[in-house]
Amino acid sequence: FDHIKKGDALVVLAEKFPKL
Amino acid sequence: AIDKLAKKTKPYIIAELMDRSNKELTEGAGANEVVSAGFYRTGIMLQSALYHGMSHIFHELLQYEQNKTSVFIVTEKNIPQEFYDEKLTFQDAARKINEKRKAPNPVILIGVKRGDQIILNPHS
């Protein structure tokens, strides 16, 4: 894995849908 | 059949299979995603036998209640443009998210979804 590219989504743990 | 019954709404179809080896066939027949309780059951039992307490983690993640930590997939429209412009590595992105970590809804980056592929904790 190199870097975050256009179209990539991020997988996260959170209590509510997060605002990054 | 589901597509024909709901032509206007185009439902997202999740199918359950007893045997995951038929996954491609099921997707070919119109399922968007395939789940298999047997596969998950065996996996959770194995993981818990190796690393005690692991079943509690899966149990927590599968509960869908307020104030319970869940897994979310955040798509491009909800990600600051700088994440793409600055060509952030996974480590950089995790650092940025950690710096913004706020008590009402703390967020932990665990992976990236690229196309249909989910890469958890990617290596550089």
Side-chain angles (χ1 to χ4, degrees):
Chain A
F1 186 85
D2 41 11
H3 59 84
I4 292 166
K5 291 180 180 159
K6 205 154 176 53
D8 284 351
L10 299 179
V11 185
V12 301
L13 289 177
E15 288 182 7
K16 292 179 281 244
F17 191 87
K19 197 172 166 53
L20 298 180
Chain B
I2 293 168
D3 273 338
K4 281 180 186 162
L5 285 170
K7 270 184 188 158
K8 284 181 190 160
T9 54
K10 289 199 172 184
Y12 192 85
I13 301 169
I14 317 287
E16 185 183 5
L17 282 181
M18 297 301 284
D19 181 356
R20 270 180 82 84
S21 61
N22 294 325
K23 186 174 177 279
E24 281 74 27
L25 274 174
T26 311
E27 287 168 346
N32 296 101
E33 280 183 49
V34 172
V35 298
S36 172
F39 178 82
Y40 302 140
R41 185 185 321 116
T42 308
I44 291 168
M45 288 177 76
L46 252 168
Q47 291 272 341
S48 304
L50 286 170
Y51 306 105
H52 305 170
M54 201 64 111
S55 68
H56 304 298
I57 295 171
F58 293 108
H59 185 84
E60 280 284 309
L61 288 174
L62 290 172
Q63 288 183 33
Y64 203 77
E65 292 168 24
Q66 263 195 332
N67 305 321
K68 283 275 181 192
T69 293
S70 303
V71 180
F72 292 96
I73 296 174
V74 185
T75 53
E76 204 173 339
K77 66 177 194 286
N78 288 306
I79 298 172
Q81 190 59 38
E82 67 196 64
F83 279 61
Y84 300 100
D85 294 344
E86 293 172 18
K87 295 185 174 177
L88 296 185
T89 62
F90 183 78
Q91 203 176 352
D92 294 333
R95 193 177 304 116
K96 246 184 211 293
I97 290 169
N98 268 337
E99 282 166 4
K100 282 190 184 174
R101 188 175 164 88
K102 288 190 186 98
N105 189 30
V107 177
I108 300 173
L109 181 64
I110 61 168
V112 176
K113 181 175 185 284
R114 181 169 287 168
D116 287 337
Q117 201 186 5
I118 300 267
I119 315 157
L120 290 181
N121 193 21
H123 294 209
S124 53

